[in-house]
Amino acid sequence: MAWTAPPFLLFYLLAAAFGIGVGVAVRSLATSRKMPYAVALGIVSVGAIFFVVYKTIPVWMDRQASQIVNQQVDPFNVHSLAGATLHSTEWKGRVVVLSFWATWCLPCHAELPEIEKVQNRYRENPNVVILALDSGTGGDAPETAKAYLDKNKLSLTGAVDSVDANGDTWGPAATSLGVKTLPALYILDRSGKLRTIHLGYDSSEHFSEFLSREIDRLL
C-alpha cells in the first residue's frame, strides 16, 4: 500500500492536528507556571504516539494486506526441489501455506526468513504444510531456487511452480490461485479451499505472528 493512499493521508492530517493541539496545550501550561502538568501531558502524548506507531499501525497494515476468502481451487502440481512432483489433492486434511517468491524479488528476500521462522514453529505438526514456492518466472529454475536457499542458509521446504521453457508465464499453482504479483502468500484450509491471501511484504508488519495466527485458526 502506498504511503499516499487515503488512509495514510488521513492519518498524517490527524497526527499533525494532534501534535499542534498538544504543543499549544503544553506551551500554555508552561507559560502558566504549571510545568509539572506540561511535562506530564508531553510524556502521555509521546506514549500515545509510540503506541499508535509501533502497535496499532502494524496490526492495521496486516489486516489491509490480507484478505479472508472461501474459494474452491482447481487441482495443480508443483515440483519440490528434491525432484518430486507434489499434487495439491494430496494435501487434503492439512493446512497448506504456499509462499510464492523468486530469486529476483527483493521483498521476497526479506519475507523468506519470516516464513522459515513459522515453518520451524510447525515443523513437527503433520497437519501443516509450508512451501517456499518459487514462481519459476524471470528465469528461475529448481537449481536457481535451491542455490539461493542454500547460500542464505534457509532451511525452507522449497518447490518450484511449473512454467514454460522461457519462464515468462505463471505456472499451474499460480494460475489456479490467481497469483499476479510477488511476494504472495496463499493459505488453503484442510478441505483444500483457499482461505487467506496476503500480498506484498513490509518490515513493519507482524508477519510471522499473523501467519501463525491464520494457521491456528484453520487448524
Side-chain angles (χ1 to χ4, degrees), residues 51-123:
F51 179 82
V52 170
V53 171
Y54 290 96
K55 295 294 183 179
T56 305
I57 289 181
V59 172
W60 180 81
M61 289 184 68
D62 282 344
R63 293 175 179 173
Q64 293 297 312
S66 61
Q67 180 182 1
I68 303 301
V69 296
N70 187 12
Q71 299 177 8
Q72 294 287 349
V73 176
D74 292 332
F76 57 84
N77 299 333
V78 297
H79 301 286
S80 75
L81 296 185
T85 300
L86 307 177
H87 306 276
S88 63
T89 54
E90 298 174 349
W91 295 330
K92 292 291 182 66
R94 291 180 280 180
V95 174
V96 180
V97 177
L98 300 174
S99 174
F100 286 85
W101 67 288
T103 60
W104 48 263
C105 168
L106 294 181
C108 299
H109 298 175
E111 183 179 83
L112 286 176
E114 297 285 340
I115 300 294
E116 181 186 45
K117 186 187 303 183
V118 177
Q119 180 179 274
N120 290 336
R121 193 174 297 169
Y122 293 91
R123 190 175 294 278

